Amino acid sequence: QVQLAESGGGLVQAGGSLRLSCVSSKSIVNIVGMGWYRQAPGKQRELVAFIESDGTMKYADFVKGRFTISRDNTKNTVYLQMDSLKPEDTAVYYCHRETTGKVYWGQGTQVTVSS
């Protein structure tokens, strides 16, 4: 069983920044990839960013140019740098680990952006 532990959420004013971290209990090398999803109240969970095993990064259109996903394989950690935050970015952010045939989720970390 793989465990994912997110941290770094909090309350920030619009235009501010936060950096989320997700530590995996198992290596993040040689897997499909790691990603961040978010879920706002009353809405479905949606992809924010994903980094594949070869380093390819994918972003949702609504965060392009503002958020950056990265990883440190030596620490089994993936990061989400969030800049120029907007009130509509308010959500619970979930870490996601994908291997062939298996998906794991973290417990989530709350991000609240005030206007």
Side-chain angles (χ1 to χ4, degrees), residues 95-107:
C95 181
H96 166 98
R97 183 180 190 273
E98 186 175 338
T99 61
T100 303
K102 290 186 179 181
V103 171
Y104 298 93
W105 294 94
Q107 292 297 308

Side-chain angles (χ1 to χ4, degrees), residues 66-78:
R66 299 189 299 125
F67 292 9
T68 304
I69 190 170
S70 62
R71 67 186 181 196
D72 185 336
N73 292 341
T74 66
K75 297 180 179 179
N76 293 339
T77 301
V78 64

Side-chain angles (χ1 to χ4, degrees), residues 4-64:
L4 303 173
E6 302 109 330
S7 61
L11 173 63
V12 65
Q13 289 188 333
S17 298
L18 284 173
R19 188 193 194 205
L20 305 183
S21 300
C22 172
V23 181
S24 171
S25 62
K26 290 191 176 180
S27 173
I28 62 173
V29 177
N30 295 325
I31 62 172
V32 174
M34 297 284 293
W36 290 95
Y37 286 68
R38 71 185 188 186
Q39 187 167 17
K43 295 187 177 181
Q44 290 193 340
R45 192 171 296 188
E46 59 185 359
L47 174 69
V48 176
F50 194 85
I51 184 165
E52 299 178 351
S53 60
D54 65 358
T56 300
M57 293 172 281
K58 299 179 179 179
Y59 295 94
D61 287 344
F62 53 77
V63 301
K64 282 183 179 177

